[in-house]
Amino acid sequence: MAIAPIFKKAYWSLAIVGGLYFVYMTLLLNGWVQRQALYAHNVHTAWWQGPNKPEQFGFLKNQVRPFTIITPDGEKLYAWHTLPLSTYIKNEDALVQESTSSREDPESSLAFKLLAKDPESRLIINFHGNAGTVAQGWRTDTYRALTSGLVDKLHVVAVDYRGFGYSTGSPDEKGLIIDGIATVKWALNVAKIPPEKIVLLGQSLGTAVATAVAEHFVVKEGLEFRGVVLVAGFSDLPTLLTTYAIGGVIPILSPLRPYPRLQQFFAKNIQETWFSATRLVNLVRKSKNINLRIIHAQNDFEILWTHSNTLFSAAANATSTGDQGLTQEQIDELKIHQDLGESGFTNSWITVQEDGGRKSIKQDVVRHGGHNRLVTYPVVAKAIANIFQ
Ligand SMILES: *[C@@H]1O[C@H](CO)[C@@H](O)[C@H](O)[C@H]1NC(C)=O
């Protein structure tokens, strides 16, 4: 008899949680709410630790130069250019003496000249994940890891998409792709870095941007980059949201798993789809040469590492010139698998096409690195070094 009120309590708390989830899902059907949840661009710490003083994040004086990229539709994107440490050391006196107020005219800055005037410069264009700014969390460690001597004269440019940090506008799929293209065009046309010296690096949401941008350049402009590196990526947003949890904690569609029709209904109403696997297939097909790296950690609780299997298989399949493509069994049989114990494993797929082109696709799955930190780990640095070798 005394147990009954406890059951009653449990029943009510369940009903309240269920009710709240229902309200939350109904809200998520609204496009604006969806974009706030997916991009989380208003979640950042620039209020009290702004990216305009990169020294706050451990960089040397003028090692990082903030600058602006204007998109064709008039948005002003805030970007960071990080100098290679060895280049910094060679030019230390001049860099230290340079006034930070010369930001008004970034192309007159020494940092820009060191990038643009050296024919040996190489460049990583970094597309970050959702939330935060170029200076958020592990992102600054990424720039440090990549500019500390990994590859000679390797610069990093990172950009805040529209609506993020100090960039103007508000984000959506089309806009973020415009931003990515504008950033690459800045590198090609303003800094004059040839595409064979550029690697596109994306993390999480940034993998979808990097893929869409690389696809755009190969399809629309016939340009191929040195490499594309996708860290903690996903196949497409509706699929991702059936397992995704914001920050690894707040689920979106996964509680609906017992109700597939309801789950499908919500998945269909997702306006931002980011069909990355489809774009990746197109990118691999249309490229003559491609160097693609797909990297994921098994302890990533935001985006399950199995997404990297989907991306790898889609990319491998896209190298096939037959009408039928390949089956999953054929891909599993033909790929080169290497077990690395506590480090995880790799799968490689290298084809030489009839036209002499070479398509190299590699999947690195590590056991450790989580969702956000992985991009700072040696597995990513090594992939980039291999690409430039
Ligand atoms: C490979 O691509 C073909 C289309 O070209 C498709 O029919 C097939 O299902 C794909 N295989 C896998 C494993 O996705």
Side-chain angles (χ1 to χ4, degrees):
M1 290 287 267
I3 294 169
I6 293 176
F7 274 135
K8 230 178 192 170
K9 240 187 204 160
Y11 173 78
W12 276 109
S13 14
L14 266 179
I16 289 170
V17 170
L20 283 177
Y21 179 69
F22 183 76
V23 170
Y24 159 75
M25 287 310 298
T26 312
L27 280 174
L28 277 183
L29 287 177
N30 174 284
W32 183 86
V33 176
Q34 263 179 31
R35 288 190 292 277
Q36 293 293 324
L38 291 175
Y39 298 113
H41 49 293
N42 289 319
V43 182
H44 60 77
T45 55
W47 312 112
W48 66 88
Q49 202 183 27
N52 261 339
K53 282 190 189 140
E55 291 78 7
Q56 290 179 101
F57 304 91
F59 291 99
L60 299 165
K61 190 178 178 200
N62 290 334
Q63 188 186 359
V64 172
R65 219 156 236 256
F67 69 103
T68 306
I69 295 167
I70 315 268
T71 70
D73 57 346
E75 301 297 353
K76 290 196 181 100
L77 307 179
Y78 181 86
W80 263 21
H81 166 205
T82 308
L83 283 167
L85 187 56
S86 55
T87 304
Y88 183 93
I89 292 165
K90 282 191 200 108
N91 299 276
E92 184 173 352
D93 291 344
L95 282 162
V96 166
Q97 277 158 31
E98 197 179 31
S99 148
T100 36
S101 66
S102 68
R103 275 181 204 159
E104 304 300 303
D105 180 17
E107 282 154 50
S108 71
S109 74
L110 180 53
F112 179 80
K113 285 178 195 152
L114 290 169
L115 171 69
K117 299 272 187 280
D118 186 339
E120 288 173 8
S121 287
R122 300 168 169 117
L123 179 65
I124 304 268
I125 300 183
N126 180 90
F127 297 116
H128 64 63
N130 72 353
T133 70
V134 283
Q136 202 78 41
W138 294 108
R139 290 171 193 166
T140 55
D141 290 73
T142 310
Y143 320 143
R144 263 193 292 278
L146 301 180
T147 56
S148 290
L150 170 72
V151 171
D152 202 31
K153 299 185 176 176
L154 182 61
H155 298 245
V156 175
V157 161
V159 65
D160 274 333
Y161 317 110
R162 60 189 61 201
F164 284 72
Y166 296 151
S167 296
T168 62
S170 57
D172 60 16
E173 181 167 352
K174 200 167 145 248
L176 261 61
I177 297 171
I178 294 175
D179 297 346
I181 294 170
T183 307
V184 172
K185 288 209 163 155
W186 176 89
L188 295 169
N189 303 334
V190 181
K192 302 246 182 328
I193 309 295
E196 66 273 14
K197 294 231 157 94
I198 297 177
V199 166
L200 306 186
L201 167 65
Q203 185 259 341
S204 191
L205 171 66
T207 61
V209 178
T211 306
V213 168
E215 184 208 15
H216 165 89
F217 277 96
V218 74
V219 172
K220 298 274 160 65
E221 326 222 356
L223 282 186
E224 294 177 4
F225 300 99
R226 183 64 171 250
V228 177
V229 180
L230 308 177
V231 181
F234 56 91
S235 60
D236 62 89
L237 218 45
T239 307
L240 170 62
L241 293 184
T242 59
T243 57
Y244 179 78
I246 302 170
V249 183
I250 307 166
I252 297 187
L253 293 180
S254 49
L256 294 180
R257 217 168 305 153
Y259 314 100
R261 289 181 88 178
L262 208 54
Q263 203 179 37
Q264 268 168 23
F265 167 76
F266 281 108
K268 256 201 205 118
N269 279 286
I270 292 163
Q271 293 158 21
E272 311 281 301
T273 49
W274 290 103
F275 285 120
S276 253
T278 313
R279 288 180 175 139
L280 194 63
V281 165
N282 207 24
L283 166 66
V284 173
R285 277 218 186 107
K286 301 281 161 64
S287 300
K288 181 168 192 260
N289 295 288
I290 188 160
N291 215 335
L292 177 67
R293 293 286 179 277
I294 296 161
I295 307 174
H296 221 120
Q298 285 179 319
N299 66 342
D300 183 335
F301 300 115
E302 284 186 55
I303 300 182
L304 298 183
W305 71 272
T306 48
H307 277 268
S308 70
N309 290 342
T310 312
L311 294 174
F312 177 81
S313 293
N317 194 10
T319 63
S320 156
T321 44
D323 299 339
Q324 320 276 314
L326 302 165
T327 64
Q328 189 60 49
E329 292 69 37
Q330 285 171 316
I331 294 170
D332 289 338
E333 205 180 292
L334 292 169
K335 72 188 180 192
I336 298 164
H337 180 85
Q338 192 179 17
D339 192 343
L340 301 170
E342 197 55 32
S343 261
F345 64 85
T346 64
N347 286 318
S348 315
W349 186 274
I350 296 165
T351 61
V352 177
Q353 309 290 120
E354 275 167 26
D355 62 3
R358 186 174 182 276
K359 298 185 180 182
S360 163
I361 293 144
K362 191 168 174 198
Q363 176 190 23
D364 293 282
V365 176
V366 293
R367 291 209 184 146
H368 311 277
H371 183 64
N372 291 312
R373 195 173 183 179
L374 175 62
V375 65
T376 70
Y377 275 15
V379 64
V380 175
K382 188 178 80 74
I384 288 168
N386 289 157
I387 287 174
F388 277 115
Q389 256 163 21

